[in-house]
Amino acid sequence: MLNNVNLADIRSFVLIAKLGNFTKAAEALEVSRSHVSRQISALEKQMGVTLLTRTTRTLRLTQAGQHFFHQCESALQLIDQALVAAVDDTKKVQGLIRVNCVGGYLGEELVAQAIAEFMQIYPQITVDLDFSSPRIDLIEDQFDVAFRMGDLEDAGFIARRLMTIEMVTLASPEYVKKYGEPTHPRELADHRSLTGSVTKWSFVSALEPSKHYDIHVKGKLTCKNGRALIKACQLGNGLIRVPKVYCEAEINRGELIPVMPLWRINSVPFSAIFHKDRYQPKRIRVFIDFISEWFQHLS
């Protein structure tokens, strides 16, 4: 009976166990929920083992299901590696690369330019480029590479650092003339702020690096697009905290000026994030190496 177990049913079981949800697994497989449910029922019947206990609200692995999942996950990774190695052209870089990236200057100018140059070199590559700021799951959302600011929190992925981003707090001369210039982060409570997704602003004393100060700010304008914040700041609507690379031209022209020079913001890494344990087709390996070299030449 076990010789008749369908590999597709095992794949569906592993995906359900990863995502913890029949509906999400069905969407990822582009089949109906009832189809994956029948697959699991057939698998359990052929094995004579209950793998999942499920109610209308919860889904969890049985003890047997947990052991089966961990062994099958490892085995399927080896099978996938063998399959990809067999079909992936070892001489050509080709196929689809799914990329998720922050927007603004980093994504729309730098990463987009690097991808365009990559596609010039490898014309058989197709890129699906998605600009979105919310945290994404590379596996669940089916992306191959993501570009993000900040430290990597998930040990299941690798972050290839591309550059270090200097953060600055800025105002327009008109704003300073009208509202004054803050000299300490605590004074931000009395100022107008323009914020993105981060509303907890952290500062380090330039004179005493061990001295920190955090403050939660409420934005007069809240927007996840850096260019929109810069435009609003230029017109004197409030203070912004953005990567310096977003607005170096405006700073050089004197349209935006740094404030609180005795309080700095820790720099943050900008990285390419990709799967740690998944076998990478040649197109992904070459793409990541190209992007890394591209940013090295940029600095």
Side-chain angles (χ1 to χ4, degrees):
M1 181 69 72
L2 292 179
N3 291 334
N4 296 324
V5 171
N6 193 323
L7 182 60
D9 295 346
I10 296 177
R11 286 189 180 276
S12 294
F13 164 75
V14 169
L15 188 59
I16 291 168
K18 283 183 178 180
L19 301 180
N21 187 292
F22 273 72
T23 301
K24 289 181 179 179
E27 291 173 352
L29 294 168
E30 298 183 343
V31 297
S32 66
R33 188 185 186 282
S34 60
H35 177 80
V36 293
S37 180
R38 287 194 299 270
Q39 284 184 300
I40 300 306
S41 296
L43 182 61
E44 291 178 327
K45 182 177 180 181
Q46 289 176 312
M47 294 177 63
V49 174
T50 299
L51 301 172
L52 297 166
T53 56
R54 45 204 183 271
T55 66
T56 54
R57 293 186 177 181
T58 62
L59 173 70
R60 67 179 181 85
L61 294 169
T62 63
Q63 186 174 358
Q66 289 178 341
H67 291 310
F68 188 62
F69 164 68
H70 292 304
Q71 291 180 321
C72 286
E73 183 182 32
S74 299
L76 286 175
Q77 287 177 350
L78 293 176
I79 292 174
D80 288 342
Q81 180 174 343
L83 288 170
V84 173
V87 301
D88 196 35
D89 193 329
T90 58
K91 295 183 180 179
K92 296 180 180 178
V93 179
Q94 58 187 5
L96 174 63
I97 302 176
R98 297 181 178 90
V99 178
N100 178 270
C101 186
V102 294
Y105 179 82
L106 289 173
E108 296 165 22
E109 295 293 333
L110 299 185
V111 173
Q113 177 68 29
I115 289 176
E117 293 180 18
F118 180 78
M119 294 178 67
Q120 284 288 307
I121 299 172
Y122 302 104
Q124 291 182 301
I125 283 291
T126 301
V127 177
D128 184 345
L129 177 57
D130 173 74
F131 288 115
S132 59
S133 294
R135 184 178 298 277
I136 56 97
D137 186 305
L138 291 179
I139 294 177
E140 183 175 344
D141 296 322
Q142 299 183 3
F143 290 109
D144 298 302
V145 183
F147 293 90
R148 281 291 181 270
M149 291 174 59
D151 294 318
L152 178 63
E153 298 176 356
D154 194 329
F157 301 107
I158 295 174
R160 180 81 65 85
R161 183 173 294 208
L162 303 175
M163 63 187 300
T164 299
I165 305 297
E166 180 183 354
M167 302 294 295
V168 289
T169 306
L170 303 170
S172 69
E174 290 76 17
Y175 177 90
V176 171
K177 183 177 179 179
K178 185 174 182 179
Y179 296 100
E181 178 181 349
T183 58
H184 190 285
R186 63 172 170 264
E187 297 173 21
L188 293 175
D190 299 320
H191 279 266
R192 300 168 62 91
S193 299
L194 313 173
T195 64
S197 57
V198 177
T199 56
K200 178 184 177 182
W201 290 8
S202 299
F203 298 87
V204 178
S205 171
L207 301 178
E208 301 177 64
S210 61
K211 190 175 182 180
H212 299 255
Y213 193 93
D214 297 337
I215 183 170
H216 289 273
V217 296
K218 185 176 181 181
K220 287 293 184 179
L221 169 67
T222 300
C223 180
K224 293 179 180 179
N225 183 279
R227 293 306 307 170
L229 294 177
I230 291 168
K231 291 293 184 185
C233 185
Q234 283 178 286
L235 292 175
N237 285 294
L239 303 162
I240 58 172
R241 168 192 170 106
V242 294
K244 185 178 180 182
V245 70
Y246 278 21
C247 49
E248 287 183 328
E250 290 83 351
I251 294 173
N252 292 336
R253 293 195 298 264
E255 297 169 4
L256 296 175
I257 55 176
V259 297
M260 295 186 296
L262 296 182
W263 291 88
R264 62 179 178 83
I265 308 168
N266 285 331
S267 298
V268 297
F270 181 62
S271 307
I273 301 171
F274 51 95
H275 303 281
K276 180 178 182 180
D277 298 321
R278 177 178 291 185
Y279 172 78
Q280 297 290 358
K282 185 175 182 180
R283 63 182 178 274
I284 306 299
R285 299 194 306 271
V286 172
F287 175 72
I288 293 170
D289 288 342
F290 175 88
I291 291 292
S292 297
E293 292 180 10
W294 193 92
F295 273 88
Q296 284 179 8
H297 294 151
L298 186 70
S299 57

